[in-house]
Amino acid sequence: MEKKEIRKKILEYRETIDENQRKMWDEEIFKSLINSDLYKRSNTIFAFVSFKSEVDTHKIIKHALSSGKTICVPKINSKQEGIKIYKIENFDQLKEGYFGIMEPVESCEEVDSSTLDLILMPGVAFDRHGGRVGYGAAFYDRFLSNMSKQVYKVALAYDFQVMDTVPMDEHDVRIDGVITEREMIITE
């Protein structure tokens, strides 16, 4: 399947998942992440702020903040500028922004990618080899390719979003792992 077809199929299906079912899966993903050495060893975490039917990151962000971790979230001012990284002190520092996605308020401090220890990524489909199909705007691929250091990149997704293989283009950046409600996949 092509990326466009995968996006359509997975996103349509993800929207049909019962909210209670999704909450149960989100809880399993939350527990798996916060109990992982990866999370425990990370001091500064860059996390996407979940939107619509994505795996819920609101609870993860709040937990990390209450655990004394530094949390950074993305902000998109324009397609040309791409993703900028901002540190938040609490969840109230988020307001609706680009495409209706929660973003940091203007008073938040912009930080450099070199401070990050862990990146929690969104996406549509993934495979066990680090393949990722995003939403099509290439925001994360551009962001990751411009990073000054190697940072562990883990996607949060539901089990049905993991495929045998996903199509990858030359500019696509591979990820290091995927956490679903069923397992933690470390890519080969």
Side-chain angles (χ1 to χ4, degrees), residues 6-35:
I6 290 169
R7 279 188 197 101
K8 184 178 182 337
K9 184 178 169 190
I10 297 282
L11 292 176
E12 280 177 1
Y13 182 73
R14 197 172 73 185
E15 290 294 325
T16 68
I17 303 299
D18 176 72
E19 190 178 337
N20 292 324
Q21 179 67 65
R22 204 166 37 235
K23 282 181 180 174
M24 288 190 319
W25 290 347
D26 288 342
E27 186 61 25
E28 292 304 313
I29 293 166
F30 170 78
K31 287 191 284 194
S32 185
L33 173 67
I34 67 162
N35 291 316

Side-chain angles (χ1 to χ4, degrees), residues 23-185:
K23 282 181 180 174
M24 288 190 319
W25 290 347
D26 288 342
E27 186 61 25
E28 292 304 313
I29 293 166
F30 170 78
K31 287 191 284 194
S32 185
L33 173 67
I34 67 162
N35 291 316
S36 71
D37 287 339
L38 187 64
Y39 177 83
K40 290 175 184 174
R41 285 193 314 259
S42 298
N43 294 316
T44 304
I45 299 171
F46 177 81
F48 70 99
V49 183
S50 55
F51 181 65
K52 293 188 176 178
S53 64
E54 291 178 326
V55 169
D56 177 37
T57 60
H58 297 201
K59 185 175 180 178
I60 293 165
I61 291 168
K62 290 172 184 173
H63 179 276
L65 286 166
S66 70
S67 301
K69 294 186 182 291
T70 299
I71 286 291
C72 299
V73 295
K75 181 175 175 75
I76 297 170
N77 295 318
S78 69
K79 188 162 181 159
Q80 294 74 28
E81 280 186 61
I83 292 175
K84 300 288 184 193
I85 308 165
Y86 288 85
K87 177 181 161 184
I88 61 168
E89 304 289 335
N90 60 62
F91 206 79
D92 294 335
Q93 288 184 306
L94 297 174
K95 67 174 175 90
E96 201 171 291
Y98 198 77
F99 284 121
I101 300 167
M102 299 294 279
E103 292 187 339
V105 295
E106 287 73 24
S107 61
C108 292
E109 173 191 352
E110 185 173 356
V111 298
D112 189 80
S113 65
S114 65
T115 64
L116 305 178
D117 299 319
L118 173 64
I119 297 174
L120 300 178
M121 296 192 48
V124 177
F126 309 91
D127 65 30
R128 294 174 181 277
H129 313 286
R132 173 184 173 271
V133 173
Y135 291 94
F139 283 121
Y140 275 86
D141 289 312
R142 285 187 289 141
F143 167 67
L144 296 171
S145 63
N146 291 327
M147 291 199 52
S148 57
K149 73 171 190 176
Q150 284 294 100
V151 178
Y152 201 87
K153 303 168 289 297
V154 65
L156 304 178
Y158 300 120
D159 192 62
F160 67 83
Q161 293 177 260
V162 179
M163 306 172 74
D164 290 337
T165 58
V166 296
M168 294 285 287
D169 295 324
E170 194 177 302
H171 69 272
D172 292 339
V173 176
R174 292 196 174 274
I175 60 172
D176 303 300
V178 182
I179 298 175
T180 74
E181 72 277 11
R182 291 205 176 125
E183 63 183 325
M184 182 181 283
I185 301 164

